[in-house]
Amino acid sequence: MKPTNKRDYYEVLGINKTSSSEEVKKAYRQAALKYHPDRNRNDPDAESKFKESAEAYEVLSDPQKRQSYDRFGHAGLSGSTGHDFTHMDVGDIFSMFQDIFGGGFV
């Protein structure tokens, strides 16, 4: 297994392992709004934090992925069909907002 330099997903969202699915969703909403590139045009780190939050949410909001992550960490996700947000265009993440927020962003 190759080592990863990714931060712990719970740390990324500022929650703990016992957080409910609603707490995960709430934490992601807060992070997504805080780091949204349109709100942080002068912060070069905002886009990467935004993507990191989206990746953490995708794993922690899926019960099977979360269970695997809790047991094996990032290594438990290798070979999964999850997204790698590190190379994704910010515009591609907006579809996740429709699922969570029920609409688009201006």
Side-chain angles (χ1 to χ4, degrees):
M1 281 181 244
K2 71 179 187 179
T4 181
N5 61 352
K6 291 184 179 188
R7 288 190 330 159
D8 178 79
Y9 289 145
Y10 292 100
E11 179 185 328
V12 169
L13 294 180
I15 57 176
N16 59 50
K17 289 187 177 193
T18 60
S19 295
S20 69
S21 60
E22 281 303 310
E23 290 170 316
V24 171
K25 185 185 242 184
K26 181 180 178 183
Y28 172 64
R29 285 179 180 173
Q30 291 172 344
L33 291 172
K34 180 178 180 179
Y35 297 119
H36 193 281
D38 287 345
R39 291 180 166 211
N40 297 283
R41 294 181 195 269
N42 297 324
D43 181 358
D45 296 327
E47 183 176 340
S48 63
K49 289 177 182 177
F50 180 78
K51 290 178 182 180
E52 182 181 48
S53 299
E55 183 177 342
Y57 176 74
E58 179 170 344
V59 171
L60 299 180
S61 66
D62 180 295
Q64 290 178 319
K65 289 180 186 177
R66 184 174 180 174
Q67 182 180 25
S68 182
Y69 179 74
D70 286 348
R71 188 164 181 193
F72 303 108
H74 291 287
L77 302 173
S78 63
S80 84
T81 58
H83 291 90
D84 177 3
F85 289 101
T86 57
H87 303 293
M88 181 179 275
D89 182 6
V90 174
D92 296 337
I93 299 175
F94 288 118
S95 65
M96 291 178 68
F97 281 111
Q98 291 178 332
D99 295 339
I100 296 167
F101 295 105
F105 276 87
V106 177

